Amino acid sequence: MTHTVKRTFAMLFVAVLGSALLYNCEPEADSLGEQLFLGGAAEGNVTSYPLVAYNINNNDSIRSDAGRLYSIINTTGTSTGVAVIGAFSEGQFGMQKASFISQLRMSSDNFDFGKNPKVDSVVLVMKPAFVADSVKASGAKDENVLIGTVSTPVSTEVKTYPVNYNVKYGKTKLGAGGTNTLLHVNVDEITTFLDGNDNNFKYSNATVGTGTALGSAVFDGNVKSYTVTKKSDNSALFTADAGFRIRLDNDFFQAKILDKSGKPELQDAANFTRYFKGIKLSVTETDGYLLRFSPDDMEVVMYYTNEKNDNGTITRPQSTFKLLLKGGLGNARIGKYEYDRTNSAWADARLAINSTDGDKQLFVQGMGGPSIAVKIPDTTIQDLKKLYKDNKAAIMSAKIRIYTDAAWYNKFRKAGNNLTIVPAKKNDVTSLLEPTNFLSDMIAGFPNWLAPGDLDKNPSYYDFTVTKAVKDIVETDEVKTNSPLLINMGQFINTAAGPLAGYKFTSRAFEMERAVFVGTDKNNPNSIQLKVTYGIKK
């Protein structure tokens, strides 16, 4: 990490800690306007001003490589990875399908698998977050299993846990209060080398070839843990933490891994990732829900036996070997996202974007979907400047309020705090808006820069605090740029130490939520607006 980045983290951390010194907890007027009330009475006024807001079509593409798929950035350079698989269809945004592609690393390079190694079984283990206190135990089941060549009585117990609500988005249930929607999860070999330095493998619409179908299983919304105990002495023979397991092709891994024992292909990571290029996880469905998980917790476990000569007796004890998907090992990875917008509301809206007068409906969606641009009209800035100059009217509070559109009143999870707003400028190459910094209110440490309201009602609304940003333009004789503001689905990413990692680092690349808002519509009382509270000293 560079000195500049460390200094930025430190400054942000100090800014957050010092926020109580800059702002009080009043919901409408913050302490930037408090001086108006000191030493004399003042009148407070609230006025709403129209805003120009329009949609941004991101062409259903976003950077979604290992450099963006993380929820926390560690100062050591590693990160906590995030991935999404699944599919979901609805009328406003159409169909969205998410797959995950990743390289693998051997848990030990140039590993010696012994004499005549043979695969017993291969399992991919996925561990989405689950509700630990909602366990359903199967009860002990007595059975016999082979240990080597000996049939051994054992007791097997299975515990089932539901996956956490927050890692799912979409139609998670069949019918009103019915059973869990099933996802058919597939694992395929990929045949394209993932060069992490190549821009062709940094974006969600990357083209990656697939080869052998390695396995599939049905995910029912639950994860399972296993405990196998020997009946003879009650010792634990096998334990497995809660997870979703997919049986993979034994023959493939016999030929691909064990038969290559001692060969150059398994010598080191550089050779291995060009030989076994990785795997792809996807679902068969085109409707259902999206599922979030950490690839850092995933592994492919090979159970195998090899020949041992024990004082003249030939045995075949079982061993395990793991292939890891951890990002900290340098694995290249891609969140691959596909869309079908046919007959959706967004399909029509993206063809009629009006960046001059604004759009009546605003669409925002994570994972490469649309964003929202907001512009405070220059005439509004001039009006506020005139109030300040002529009437000594100083801004106490300024908020952008945006209401959900009636078209988005449904049972799906609300955006909550999963929205970001930043000043932006137009990219000369793509003509899309790109963030330029944190909002000055965030840099100053205002703790409630985003405040959702009435989330249980129709409509709900979201207030973005822009007090300092507007004051910096209005209450000065200098000519300052009235930059457009960019609203995206997602949250800012933290560092492991607490401060925000930077204005470019958000969860947008894996954020599953979406929403439709009321845009610039002079005939709608819920049109997006700038709500300004200003004080005039008597």
Side-chain angles (χ1 to χ4, degrees):
M1 182 179 293
T2 65
H3 174 72
T4 301
V5 173
K6 288 181 179 178
R7 185 164 177 257
T8 301
F9 289 168
M11 291 172 64
L12 285 170
F13 188 60
V14 170
V16 172
L17 288 178
S19 62
L21 301 176
L22 295 172
Y23 292 89
N24 63 22
C25 297
E26 293 297 325
E28 291 299 330
D30 59 54
S31 60
L32 288 175
E34 185 179 329
Q35 67 275 14
L36 293 169
F37 297 96
L38 299 178
E43 290 182 350
N45 301 274
V46 181
T47 305
S48 294
Y49 298 89
L51 296 168
V52 175
Y54 58 93
N55 293 296
I56 298 175
N57 181 7
N58 294 305
N59 299 313
D60 292 339
S61 176
I62 191 172
R63 184 176 168 186
S64 60
D65 61 337
R68 287 295 181 269
L69 297 178
Y70 45 69
S71 59
I72 296 175
I73 298 177
N74 296 321
T75 54
T76 58
T78 60
S79 58
T80 301
V82 180
V84 179
I85 61 170
F88 176 40
S89 297
E90 41 78 21
Q92 294 300 309
F93 291 87
M95 192 280 293
Q96 178 184 12
K97 191 167 187 174
S99 305
F100 177 66
I101 296 166
S102 178
Q103 289 178 333
L104 301 166
R105 288 290 192 277
M106 297 178 291
S107 53
S108 179
D109 291 341
N110 202 25
F111 186 74
D112 183 2
F113 290 97
K115 185 178 181 181
N116 295 327
K118 299 295 181 185
V119 168
D120 275 349
S121 63
V122 185
V123 182
L124 181 142
V125 185
M126 180 192 299
K127 298 178 181 178
F130 61 92
V131 185
D133 58 359
S134 295
V135 60
K136 180 180 178 182
S138 67
K141 177 184 177 182
D142 293 337
E143 56 187 336
N144 288 346
V145 299
L146 285 176
I147 301 179
T149 58
V150 179
S151 179
T152 305
V154 300
S155 176
T156 302
E157 184 179 34
V158 181
K159 293 182 179 180
T160 303
Y161 306 84
V163 166
N164 194 301
Y165 168 78
N166 291 327
V167 302
K168 298 185 291 183
Y169 185 84
K171 300 167 186 172
T172 59
K173 297 284 187 180
L174 294 170
T179 58
N180 287 337
T181 302
L182 303 181
L183 290 179
H184 293 76
V185 182
N186 307 311
V187 184
D188 293 279
E189 173 198 19
I190 63 169
T191 57
T192 305
F193 172 64
L194 302 181
D195 184 350
N197 297 315
D198 188 335
N199 282 334
N200 291 319
F201 301 111
K202 292 183 183 292
Y203 290 85
S204 59
N205 56 358
T207 300
V208 177
T210 57
T212 304
L214 301 180
S216 64
V218 176
F219 181 67
D220 65 358
N222 299 296
V223 294
K224 292 178 168 54
S225 68
Y226 297 85
T227 303
V228 181
T229 305
K230 288 177 69 173
K231 298 284 285 184
S232 59
D233 59 6
N234 213 33
S235 62
L237 182 64
F238 174 79
T239 59
D241 295 336
F244 170 56
R245 292 166 174 79
I246 305 174
R247 288 289 298 268
L248 303 183
D249 186 333
N250 287 2
D251 293 339
F252 175 89
F253 284 89
Q254 178 70 47
K256 198 79 173 179
I257 306 295
L258 294 189
D259 289 352
K260 294 293 183 178
S261 181
K263 302 291 179 61
E265 289 90 334
L266 309 188
Q267 183 175 355
D268 53 35
N271 283 6
F272 185 71
T273 53
R274 285 165 174 78
Y275 166 63
F276 186 3
K277 297 176 178 63
I279 59 173
K280 175 183 178 180
L281 275 74
S282 63
V283 300
T284 303
E285 289 75 14
T286 56
D287 194 10
Y289 63 94
L290 303 172
L291 174 68
R292 182 185 296 168
F293 60 95
S294 172
D296 296 339
D297 295 332
M298 289 179 63
E299 56 191 17
V300 174
V301 184
M302 292 195 313
Y303 298 91
Y304 70 97
T305 62
N306 54 21
E307 281 188 14
K308 298 287 186 182
N309 189 331
D310 186 9
N311 295 324
T313 301
I314 303 300
T315 61
R316 293 195 66 87
Q318 190 180 71
S319 302
T320 61
F321 185 78
K322 295 181 179 181
L323 301 174
L324 307 175
L325 284 81
K326 290 183 179 180
L329 298 173
N331 280 325
R333 51 179 59 163
I334 305 170
K336 183 170 175 60
Y337 310 138
E338 302 167 77
Y339 295 90
D340 184 353
R341 306 292 191 179
T342 305
N343 297 325
S344 68
W346 170 238
D348 295 330
R350 66 183 179 181
L351 298 177
I353 294 174
N354 187 338
S355 59
T356 302
D357 301 317
D359 296 326
K360 291 184 178 182
Q361 277 188 314
L362 302 173
F363 297 78
V364 62
Q365 180 184 26
M367 300 166 66
S371 306
I372 298 171
V374 180
K375 187 75 163 58
I376 302 174
D378 290 336
T379 53
T380 298
I381 296 296
Q382 293 307 315
D383 288 345
L384 291 172
K385 277 181 171 287
K386 191 173 190 309
L387 272 173
Y388 177 71
K389 183 176 182 180
D390 296 348
N391 299 329
K392 308 301 181 187
I395 294 170
M396 298 155 55
S397 172
K399 300 179 188 295
I400 291 175
R401 176 165 291 186
I402 185 170
Y403 287 91
T404 54
D405 191 88
W408 195 246
Y409 184 63
N410 52 49
K411 63 181 180 180
F412 304 124
R413 186 165 62 244
K414 299 293 193 299
N417 290 312
N418 285 346
L419 290 168
T420 62
I421 185 169
V422 291
K425 67 178 181 179
K426 184 174 289 188
N427 183 303
D428 294 334
V429 176
T430 65
S431 293
L432 297 177
L433 287 182
E434 290 189 346
T436 59
N437 202 347
F438 285 115
L439 207 61
S440 56
D441 293 75
M442 289 189 63
I443 295 174
F446 187 63
N448 297 315
W449 62 270
L450 170 61
D454 292 342
L455 292 183
D456 59 339
K457 297 178 182 178
N458 182 26
S460 54
Y461 66 86
Y462 298 80
D463 281 344
F464 297 94
T465 296
V466 292
T467 306
K468 191 174 189 307
V470 175
K471 285 174 72 70
D472 287 346
I473 297 173
V474 171
E475 298 175 4
T476 178
D477 291 330
E478 297 179 42
V479 178
K480 293 193 175 183
T481 303
N482 178 22
S483 300
L485 301 173
L486 177 63
I487 296 176
N488 274 313
M489 189 63 71
Q491 294 183 344
F492 290 111
I493 298 294
N494 286 332
T495 68
L500 299 179
Y503 66 91
K504 292 183 178 180
F505 299 100
T506 76
S507 62
R508 182 175 159 234
F510 53 86
E511 200 61 67
M512 302 179 290
E513 283 82 359
R514 72 284 306 274
V516 183
F517 293 102
V518 179
T520 303
D521 185 353
K522 63 182 180 181
N523 297 317
N524 191 329
N526 291 335
S527 178
I528 187 170
Q529 55 200 259
L530 176 69
K531 298 177 73 67
V532 177
T533 303
Y534 58 90
I536 300 176
K537 195 168 183 178
K538 293 181 179 180

